[in-house]
Amino acid sequence: MEFTFDPEKDVLNIKNHGISLDQAPLVFSDPQKLTLQSHRFDEDRLLDISFVALHQAIFVLVYVLRGRHMVRSISLRKASKQERVRYANEI
């Protein structure tokens, strides 16, 4: 799978969430991730919630699939309390 993101969004993601979008594969590749669907701005988005051992935290990756082999990362951040609880209950 190939990962891509907007470099300007990456700068904002680092500023707002303290993590670069280039870390998205850490969440996406986790076989125990929780995947949810989200519809926003006439676009179907996916949201993965996963424990990232490297950072010792649960993260949320928001992305869209572009074709069969491309993941376009939109946002990467630490999970909210509600998201952490949902992840713990469903995994």
Side-chain angles (χ1 to χ4, degrees), residues 5 7 15-16 18 20 22 24 26 33 37 39 42 47 53 61 63-65 67 72-73 86 91:
F5 53 84
K15 179 181 175 185
N16 294 334
S20 174
D22 69 4
L26 295 174
K33 69 184 177 187
Q37 292 185 348
H39 186 75
D42 296 328
L47 186 143
L61 170 64
Y63 62 96
V64 292
L65 294 174
R72 179 146 180 97
S73 302
R86 184 167 186 180
I91 293 300

Side-chain angles (χ1 to χ4, degrees), residues 44-89:
D44 289 324
R45 295 180 174 188
L46 296 167
L47 186 143
D48 286 352
I49 305 173
S50 173
F51 178 74
V52 178
L54 178 66
H55 297 286
Q56 291 294 298
I58 297 173
F59 279 84
V60 175
L61 170 64
V62 179
Y63 62 96
V64 292
L65 294 174
R66 300 281 190 226
R68 294 178 57 194
H69 303 288
M70 176 77 67
V71 174
R72 179 146 180 97
S73 302
I74 297 168
S75 174
L76 180 63
R77 59 178 172 73
K78 285 187 176 180
S80 68
K81 182 177 181 179
Q82 180 181 358
E83 291 163 335
R84 291 190 309 269
V85 168
R86 184 167 186 180
Y87 176 77
N89 288 338

